[in-house]
Amino acid sequence: MGLFLANHHANATPRSGSSTSCHSLEWARNSARTPYCPPGNNTILPENFPAMAYVISDQPALAHPHESAKALPEVLTLGILQNSDPNRLPLILIPTDDIGWERITASIQNNTTLTPLQRTRYLHSLVHVNDTTFVMPSPTRTGKTTWSNTSRPSHADYTWQQDYFESFINPATGMPVLRRVRDYPMDSIVATQGANELFEAAQQACSWMQPGPDLIESDTSGTMGGNIEGLPGGLCLHGDNQRPEFARQYCGDPANEVIVNTKWLQVGHVDEIVHVLPRPGASPPCNFAMAIASPQKALELLKQNPTDKFFEFYFNSEPEDLNSRFNQSLIQEFCSDLKSFFRERAKNQDSSPGHTPSNVTPQRGVPAVFWLFSLPQVEAKIRVRGHQEAPEFDCKNVTHAEVAAFLEGDQTASGYLNRKIQNSLAKTQQEITEKIHSRLPQCEISWVQAPNLFLHGRVIKNEQTGEEEIPNGMVHSLTPNPSNSLNVNATVFSPHPMNGAFARHLESSYRSLGLRTQFVDTFEYAHIGMGNLHCATHMLPFCRPSQETRR
């Protein structure tokens, strides 16, 4: 590969889906560094396997995005290439119009921190998905409008690159097989024409990436790609909102399936709560770790850092963006829950100095004097002496101690909801651990607890069983969900959780596994549309066929 690319000019033109050459992926053929394909008839790989290609959305979820969201495709493109082995660069397929394509390629061509050879190699790794031509208006400097033909794929305006297709493998070759989700319920044009354009561009860039048969019976959210994930040991993971006959099309034997509770999520996909991580330095098949969303870890971190502000929306954001983020409906719903909780507490509890709420336990390493005086001050914020009505609750500056008190003391709203969700997620972690251990008993499984809080909906009582349950189809993440991340070699591209303590914990946890962390601002790019980084991208892993899988 090095010789092939070195002979090109530094300003070489990137691909436009027009070459059947696989020269730039020659490293992927029969490489001794590539792990063997798992045994069995499951055809989806976990994402600790190496990537042959990535798909990146150029369309933020917010209709009128802020600059950080507009720039994220360039950040991801460059970040993926810089964090990949320079001798094993993946392809990056980008569905976008000509304007977006020029913007992304210019960000590499004009990057003065790159060497000429790096610019050449990086540009050769880009693939423009651009099969549809239509006429679009183009304003001129005089104010007149002209019309020009512009290449634009059907899904250029579509964010969720994870859902309308899924990447599997051909066990005989180990190479990616791309399968469309037929009748994709969110957008039929994306599922048909958009998928065809993507597959054609992938094949033209390298014929090793082949289209496969459609996945059928796909009229529910449970059958989208974000709910089709691989696990180590030849296992596949999906939610309990997916039909058994659908899973058989890619998972093979029912014994390969790991089915976990995702019905409570509004979108209902396993990639919202679970993620497979690479583990550099470990030998296959044990070169993996797991991440799972964790309200419990969020609570622990809040109590360990009680005086910190909870909302830290300033990450990679302009000052004028902060109010719009804070005014987002989920944030306001959470603030409303907090306000109601402390208002009720102010009515029912003694306001004398030194009173410590019974549900808050002093933490080791935190001076006891803090717990004696700070939390009563929390309540004092919303109490006016001698009056029943409370002043406006200062949610923008709400502290960790306040949120922790709410999470532990609330009995009706999102605080109580998160405690129930934690119980469900603990069961999910146990089920996955047991199933992987049944296939790979030699592997020690490390879990990263990704701090995250959820919102929307109230715990309900099942009239038949009398038990309390999380409502189906209502819940999603309060702030950008760090378990919905993207692996690139030994780096985890993580949505910044908009909380400093959460971010420090993630970085420390990944570092302990030999992984680097690159936080990205996904608030307008994906979070606001009820998804995140993994949902808006797509990794195409591959493997090395063994004698068993070649059969």
Side-chain angles (χ1 to χ4, degrees):
M1 171 183 161
L3 178 62
F4 171 75
L5 290 176
N7 287 334
H8 282 68
H9 190 270
N11 292 320
T13 303
R15 303 169 190 267
S16 292
S18 59
S19 171
T20 57
S21 170
C22 295
H23 285 301
S24 62
L25 292 175
E26 194 60 39
W27 55 267
R29 186 187 291 275
N30 299 322
S31 171
R33 294 173 56 186
T34 302
Y36 282 112
C37 302
N41 57 359
N42 175 29
T43 57
I44 187 166
L45 292 177
E47 293 182 2
N48 64 311
F49 275 76
M52 179 173 289
Y54 292 88
V55 182
I56 296 176
S57 173
D58 190 39
Q59 177 59 50
L62 189 66
H64 302 288
H66 301 140
E67 290 305 315
S68 60
K70 292 179 183 177
L72 191 54
E74 294 102 288
V75 172
L76 291 174
T77 299
L78 183 60
I80 289 171
L81 294 169
Q82 288 185 316
N83 284 280
S84 297
D85 184 326
N87 295 313
R88 296 166 63 90
L89 292 177
L91 297 178
I92 301 180
L93 294 95
I94 308 171
T96 188
D97 58 23
D98 289 347
I99 297 172
W101 181 246
E102 288 297 325
R103 187 188 73 249
I104 292 170
T105 54
S107 70
I108 292 177
Q109 290 169 331
N110 301 330
N111 191 322
T112 58
T113 67
L114 301 176
T115 67
L117 182 57
Q118 283 178 314
R119 285 196 290 270
T120 299
R121 289 182 166 184
Y122 289 1
L123 290 169
H124 270 288
S125 297
L126 305 186
V127 180
H128 188 188
V129 183
N130 64 339
D131 288 0
T132 300
T133 299
F134 80 120
V135 178
M136 67 175 292
S138 176
T140 65
R141 290 185 178 180
T142 62
K144 296 180 180 180
T145 298
T146 62
W147 295 83
S148 60
N149 288 333
T150 299
S151 176
R152 180 183 185 84
S154 300
H155 50 335
D157 293 328
Y158 200 69
T159 306
W160 313 118
Q161 299 299 322
Q162 186 66 220
D163 290 347
Y164 63 93
F165 81 100
E166 187 55 76
S167 173
F168 301 92
I169 52 116
N170 179 343
T173 64
M175 296 301 176
V177 174
L178 310 181
R179 300 179 65 181
R180 179 179 61 177
V181 178
R182 188 192 296 178
D183 302 323
Y184 175 57
M186 298 300 293
D187 193 316
S188 60
I189 294 178
V190 168
T192 53
Q193 192 168 338
N196 292 339
E197 291 161 1
L198 178 69
F199 296 176
E200 183 178 349
Q203 269 195 292
Q204 289 179 349
C206 181
S207 58
W208 297 343
M209 295 184 283
Q210 292 288 326
D214 288 352
L215 295 166
I216 59 174
E217 297 185 58
S218 53
D219 59 345
T220 68
S221 179
T223 55
M224 296 184 197
N227 205 28
I228 305 170
E229 300 298 327
L231 285 177
L235 299 168
C236 61
L237 176 68
H238 64 84
D240 54 357
N241 54 351
Q242 187 175 114
R243 295 192 185 102
E245 57 269 29
F246 184 83
R248 302 291 184 274
Q249 298 175 63
Y250 65 89
C251 205
D253 193 322
N256 296 331
E257 294 180 57
V258 182
I259 306 171
V260 298
N261 181 11
T262 61
K263 287 181 179 178
W264 52 275
L265 290 158
Q266 186 160 357
V267 176
H269 294 177
V270 288
D271 69 350
E272 298 176 77
I273 55 174
V274 177
H275 187 63
V276 180
L277 298 163
R279 190 156 190 179
S283 299
C286 300
N287 58 335
F288 69 92
M290 302 293 301
I292 189 167
S294 175
Q296 179 61 39
K297 178 56 65 176
L299 176 61
E300 290 174 12
L301 293 168
L302 296 176
K303 294 168 73 173
Q304 290 168 9
N305 303 273
T307 60
D308 290 1
K309 285 178 60 174
F310 179 73
F311 292 116
E312 297 185 5
F313 289 139
Y314 53 76
F315 176 78
N316 201 29
S317 179
E318 297 298 325
E320 59 267 23
D321 295 344
L322 301 184
N323 281 337
S324 64
R325 292 186 174 195
F326 184 76
N327 290 332
Q328 196 250 348
S329 60
L330 277 180
I331 306 299
Q332 288 302 301
E333 181 182 338
F334 185 69
C335 289
S336 178
D337 285 351
L338 285 169
K339 181 177 180 179
S340 297
F341 171 76
F342 285 113
R343 176 178 287 161
E344 289 302 310
R345 180 170 263 201
K347 291 179 182 178
N348 299 328
Q349 289 192 349
D350 178 33
S351 61
S352 60
H355 172 70
T356 304
S358 59
N359 65 306
V360 178
T361 303
Q363 296 299 297
R364 185 173 298 173
V366 177
V369 68
F370 173 83
W371 295 97
L372 290 176
F373 294 104
S374 66
L375 284 174
Q377 292 168 8
V378 167
E379 295 175 7
K381 280 186 179 182
I382 62 166
R383 178 184 293 137
V384 176
R385 188 172 297 173
H387 295 274
Q388 292 294 322
E389 289 300 319
E392 188 67 26
F393 183 67
D394 185 15
C395 197
K396 283 186 180 179
N397 294 305
V398 68
T399 66
H400 283 189
E402 292 170 310
V403 176
F406 167 68
L407 291 173
E408 292 191 314
D410 172 57
Q411 297 300 322
T412 60
S414 54
Y416 190 48
L417 178 70
N418 273 278
R419 299 202 295 277
K420 290 294 184 181
I421 289 172
Q422 179 60 46
N423 294 338
S424 176
L425 291 170
K427 184 178 179 182
T428 292
Q429 178 175 331
Q430 181 181 359
E431 291 170 343
I432 293 173
T433 299
E434 290 176 354
K435 200 65 182 277
I436 295 176
H437 268 151
S438 71
R439 294 286 180 92
L440 302 172
Q442 73 275 31
C443 298
E444 178 182 348
I445 305 174
S446 295
W447 283 87
V448 172
Q449 303 296 318
N452 196 28
L453 296 177
F454 295 89
L455 195 68
H456 210 44
R458 298 289 187 261
V459 174
I460 59 175
K461 180 171 286 188
N462 187 312
E463 294 182 359
Q464 294 181 338
T465 65
E467 295 184 357
E468 291 183 323
E469 297 178 348
I470 308 168
N472 286 341
M474 294 190 67
V475 178
H476 45 93
S477 181
L478 170 63
T479 51
N481 178 2
S483 57
N484 196 275
S485 55
L486 179 68
N487 302 339
V488 180
N489 204 15
T491 298
V492 180
F493 280 73
S494 171
H496 195 287
M498 303 295 162
N499 180 287
F502 293 2
R504 292 191 297 273
H505 167 76
L506 290 164
E507 196 166 20
S508 174
S509 299
Y510 292 145
R511 189 186 306 116
S512 71
L513 297 171
L515 297 168
R516 297 180 295 272
T517 309
Q518 182 163 334
F519 288 114
V520 289
D521 185 347
T522 61
F523 196 92
E524 285 84 18
Y525 178 74
H527 169 68
I528 206 166
M530 296 185 297
N532 224 290
L533 190 57
H534 188 265
C535 305
T537 59
H538 205 121
M539 176 185 178
L540 278 57
F542 72 104
C543 55
R544 182 161 47 125
S546 63
Q547 287 187 346
E548 179 179 351
T549 59
R550 281 195 180 100
R551 294 172 186 170

